[in-house]
């Protein structure tokens, strides 16, 4: 129905309009609020925005640090927008939770502390530090390992149903980073205990490997016209196949580990892993904030 052509819309009860708006989406509700004053009033109502919040939203915010009373909102719309723009820390600060603004679907980030990192508690290989730019109280700094192996898990019933999710390692690098330039890592995302397809992932923020190519060019010598093989080495920068890091708006970098479709009613443990154990070279300089799990556009 084209709302612009609706005659006498302001004569409908506001509750009826609010119920209709709640069956749309946050994006549509905001657009329809521009049609008429009654639509605008209905679009601000708690009845509409409660439908846009996840069914378990109160349980989630109750597990936040400080509880729901610490969240600054006067209405359900305020709460919704706050969760879109300001991820909250939950589960004793080991995860963050937020919403996608235009759909209301759930997003989580697993902190580095909630991940299983091989040698993560050995000070010789990893150390835990605080960074003001991180949403979490501590992040994991890679000092020196040759066996790079980490994984994280989340139950699919925590995620929005009928939604394709992507999992992204969120990290940054120190001024001296080595061991990742020419050696890709392997990532996988899927149900724990089941076979999963692996992906090639590069953690070098430069996103390429230096390679050498050779080509044969003709060369003329003296008064005789003939050609001889003259080898000219050309140094080029190639981008190998695989997934490469991208800059995030919050200043960190991310690289996609894989994706997974969450079916309605599905309850299983989703596992994300990242390893580099084949090269045998020592690696250092990464700072891991966590794994971001969010709907794909």
């Amino acid at each position: 129905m084209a709302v612009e052509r609706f005659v006498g819309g302001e004569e409908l009860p506001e509750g009826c309009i609010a119920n209709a708006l709640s069956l749309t989406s946050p994006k549509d509700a905001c657009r329809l609020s521009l049609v008429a004053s009654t639509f605008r009033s209905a679009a601000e109502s708690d009845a509409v925005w409660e439908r846009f919040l996840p069914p378990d939203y109160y349980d989630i915010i109750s597990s936040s640090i400080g509880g729901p009373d610490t969240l600054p909102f006067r209405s359900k719309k305020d709460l919704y927008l706050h969760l879109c723009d300001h991820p909250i820390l939950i589960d004793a600060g080991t995860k963050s939770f937020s919403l996608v603004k235009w759909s209301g679907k759930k997003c989580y980030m697993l902190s580095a502390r909630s991940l299983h990192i091989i040698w993560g508690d050995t000070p010789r290989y990893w150390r835990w530090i605080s960074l003001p730019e991180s949403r979490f109280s501590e992040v994991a700094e890679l000092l020196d390992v040759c066996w790079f192996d980490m994984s994280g898990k989340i139950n699919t019933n925590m995620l929005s149903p009928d939604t394709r999710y992507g999992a992204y390692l969120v990290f940054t690098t120190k001024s001296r980073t080595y061991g990742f330039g020419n050696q890709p890592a392997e990532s996988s995302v899927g149900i724990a205990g089941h076979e999963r397809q692996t992906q090639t992932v590069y953690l070098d923020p430069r996103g390429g490997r230096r390679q050498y190519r050779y080509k044969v060019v003709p060369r003329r010598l003296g008064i005789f016209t003939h050609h001889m093989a003259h080898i000219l080495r050309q140094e080029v920068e190639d981008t190998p196949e695989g997934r490469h890091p991208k800059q995030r708006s919050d200043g960190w970098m991310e690289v996609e580990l894989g994706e997974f479709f969450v079916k309605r009613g599905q309850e299983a443990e989703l596992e994300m892993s990242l390893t580099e154990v084949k090269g045998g070279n020592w690696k250092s300089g990464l700072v891991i904030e966590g794994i971001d799990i969010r709907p794909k556009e």
Side-chain angles (χ1 to χ4, degrees):
M1 178 181 69
V3 177
E4 293 82 355
R5 298 177 185 175
F6 185 78
V7 179
E10 296 197 21
E11 297 177 1
L12 285 175
E14 184 177 310
C16 180
I17 298 175
N19 184 62
L21 291 176
S22 70
L23 299 176
T24 61
S25 68
K27 185 176 182 179
D28 290 334
C30 291
R31 288 176 172 174
L32 291 170
S33 68
L34 303 176
V35 173
S37 59
T38 306
F39 277 82
R40 183 162 53 253
S41 178
E44 297 288 327
S45 71
D46 281 352
V48 171
W49 291 93
E50 178 127 23
R51 290 285 295 269
F52 294 152
L53 289 163
D56 57 348
Y57 80 91
Y58 193 80
D59 291 335
I60 295 172
I61 64 176
S62 295
S63 68
S64 65
I65 296 179
D69 293 337
T70 61
L71 297 179
F73 65 91
R74 295 170 297 176
S75 66
K76 292 297 192 301
K77 182 179 180 181
D78 285 346
L79 173 61
Y80 180 93
L81 296 177
H82 180 83
L83 292 175
C84 293
D85 298 330
H86 303 90
I88 61 172
L89 297 181
I90 61 173
D91 295 348
T94 61
K95 299 182 184 72
S96 72
F97 170 79
S98 62
L99 297 175
V100 178
K101 180 171 289 186
W102 299 120
S103 67
K105 293 189 174 183
K106 300 176 180 178
C107 307
Y108 288 91
M109 185 185 289
L110 310 180
S111 70
R113 181 56 82 177
S114 70
L115 304 179
H116 178 63
I117 302 176
I118 299 297
W119 306 112
D121 290 323
T122 305
R124 175 183 174 184
Y125 302 120
W126 292 84
R127 71 173 176 176
W128 296 89
I129 61 174
S130 296
L131 291 179
E133 58 267 30
S134 175
R135 68 184 65 180
F136 300 112
S137 61
E138 55 184 357
V139 295
E141 180 184 356
L142 173 59
L143 298 179
D144 214 15
V145 297
C146 62
W147 189 281
F148 181 81
D149 189 332
M150 66 176 59
S151 61
K153 295 180 180 180
I154 190 171
N155 199 294
T156 55
N157 65 7
M158 296 175 62
L159 305 175
S160 298
D162 298 329
T163 302
R164 184 168 300 279
Y165 276 86
Y168 306 82
L169 179 73
V170 180
F171 69 102
T172 188
T173 58
K174 305 290 283 186
S175 56
R176 184 171 181 265
T177 302
Y178 59 82
F180 295 101
N182 297 318
Q183 184 63 48
E186 290 184 349
S187 69
S188 66
V189 175
I191 299 300
H194 290 67
E195 185 176 352
R196 303 193 299 268
Q197 184 178 2
T198 60
Q199 308 288 338
T200 299
V201 171
Y202 287 90
L203 298 174
D204 183 353
R206 293 168 297 182
R209 294 180 296 177
R210 190 171 296 277
Q211 297 179 343
Y212 293 103
R213 286 180 179 172
Y214 299 87
K215 71 175 183 179
V216 178
V217 298
R219 185 178 180 183
R220 186 186 299 262
L221 293 179
I223 61 174
F224 299 99
T225 303
H226 68 280
H227 295 84
M228 66 173 294
H230 172 64
I231 305 298
L232 175 66
R233 186 178 75 170
Q234 290 187 324
E235 188 177 280
V236 297
E237 199 75 23
D238 277 351
T239 301
E241 293 183 1
R243 293 181 168 133
H244 297 265
K246 296 180 180 179
Q247 195 72 35
R248 290 165 54 100
S249 60
D250 59 6
W252 291 81
M253 290 184 291
E254 69 176 22
V255 63
E256 184 178 343
L257 304 180
E259 61 181 43
F260 184 81
F261 186 80
V262 179
K263 300 177 183 177
R264 184 171 296 274
Q266 183 179 35
E267 185 171 352
E269 201 166 44
L270 183 65
E271 183 175 25
M272 300 134 285
S273 66
L274 179 65
T275 61
E276 200 298 284
V277 297
K278 296 180 179 179
N281 54 311
W282 288 87
K283 294 165 276 290
S284 178
L286 293 188
V287 178
I288 308 298
E289 184 177 36
I291 294 180
D292 198 15
I293 305 162
R294 64 177 187 264
K296 302 197 74 171
E297 295 180 359

